[in-house]
C-alpha cells in the first residue's frame, strides 16, 4: 500500500485528504506545519508528498518546495495552492513539482493524479531513483 504525506496548515484540508485517501486504500500521514512536514518527508516509506505552498513557519512558499525536493528528489511532489500564479507554478515546475491542486478540489482530478503517480510503473521508477 502506498503512503502519502499531506502537509497543510488547515485541519479541514488534512481531514479531507485523510478521508479521501484512506477510502481509496492509501496510508496517510499528515503534518500541520512545514518543519513537521519536512521531518515526515525524510521517511523513506513516503511514496508521494502533497504539500500546501504557503505554510506557517520556516521554510515556506518556494523555499519549502526547494527543501522538500532536496530531501526527497525521488518522491513525486504535488503542490496545493489557493492562489496559483503563473510565476509560482513555473518556479515549482522548475524544482520538479509534478502536478498542482488548486482549491477548491475536484475529486476526479485528485484520483487521476494518484493513479498516474502511484501506478506500478511510476512506483518502479521512483524505487530505481532511490
Amino acid at each position: 500500500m502506498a503512503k502519502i504525506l499531506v502537509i497543510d496548515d488547515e485541519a479541514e484540508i488534512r481531514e479531507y485528504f485523510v478521508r479521501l485517501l484512506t477510502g481509496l486504500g492509501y496510508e496517510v500521514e499528515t503534518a500541520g506545519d512545514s518543519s513537521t512536514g519536512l521531518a515526515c518527508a525524510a521517511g523513506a516509506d513516503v511514496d508521494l508528498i502533497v504539500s500546501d505552498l504557503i505554510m506557517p513557519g520556516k521554510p515556506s512558499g518556494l523555499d519549502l518546495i526547494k527543501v522538500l525536493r532536496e530531501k526527497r528528489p525521488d518522491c513525486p511532489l504535488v503542490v496545493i495552492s489557493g492562489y496559483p500564479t503563473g510565476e509560482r507554478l513555473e518556479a515549482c515546475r522548475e524544482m520538479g513539482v509534478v502536478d498542482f491542486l488548486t482549491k477548491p478540489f475536484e475529486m476526479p482530478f485528485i484520483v487521476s493524479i494518484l493513479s498516474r503517480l502511484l501506478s506500478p510503473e511510476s512506483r518502479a521508477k521512483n524505487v530505481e531513483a532511490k
Side-chain angles (χ1 to χ4, degrees):
M1 168 180 4
K3 184 174 185 179
I4 300 172
L5 170 62
V6 177
I7 308 170
D8 198 295
D9 58 316
E10 294 182 48
E12 298 83 19
I13 301 291
R14 292 192 309 273
E15 291 167 10
Y16 171 81
F17 275 98
V18 167
R19 283 191 312 274
L20 173 66
L21 299 174
T22 56
L24 293 170
Y26 297 105
E27 183 179 345
V28 183
E29 184 172 358
T30 64
D33 60 64
S34 56
S35 59
T36 304
L38 290 172
C40 294
D45 61 339
V46 173
D47 298 298
L48 174 69
I49 301 169
V50 177
S51 179
D52 194 3
L53 186 59
I54 307 301
M55 294 287 297
K58 298 289 181 185
S60 188
L62 294 175
D63 291 333
L64 173 60
I65 302 307
K66 181 179 179 183
V67 175
L68 283 169
R69 295 304 335 135
E70 290 170 356
K71 282 189 174 276
R72 291 299 306 275
D74 60 314
C75 188
L77 174 59
V78 176
V79 167
I80 299 170
S81 180
Y83 309 100
T85 64
E87 182 180 304
R88 281 184 186 160
L89 297 177
E90 184 58 32
C92 286
R93 282 200 195 286
E94 289 174 5
M95 286 188 262
V97 171
V98 295
D99 223 321
F100 301 92
L101 295 172
T102 55
K103 300 173 186 174
F105 304 116
E106 295 179 15
M107 190 171 72
F109 184 65
I110 294 171
V111 171
S112 72
I113 289 173
L114 297 173
S115 297
R116 181 172 42 87
L117 296 177
L118 296 173
S119 69
E121 299 82 23
S122 293
R123 291 184 75 188
K125 288 178 188 175
N126 293 338
V127 169
E128 290 171 10
K130 290 179 184 180

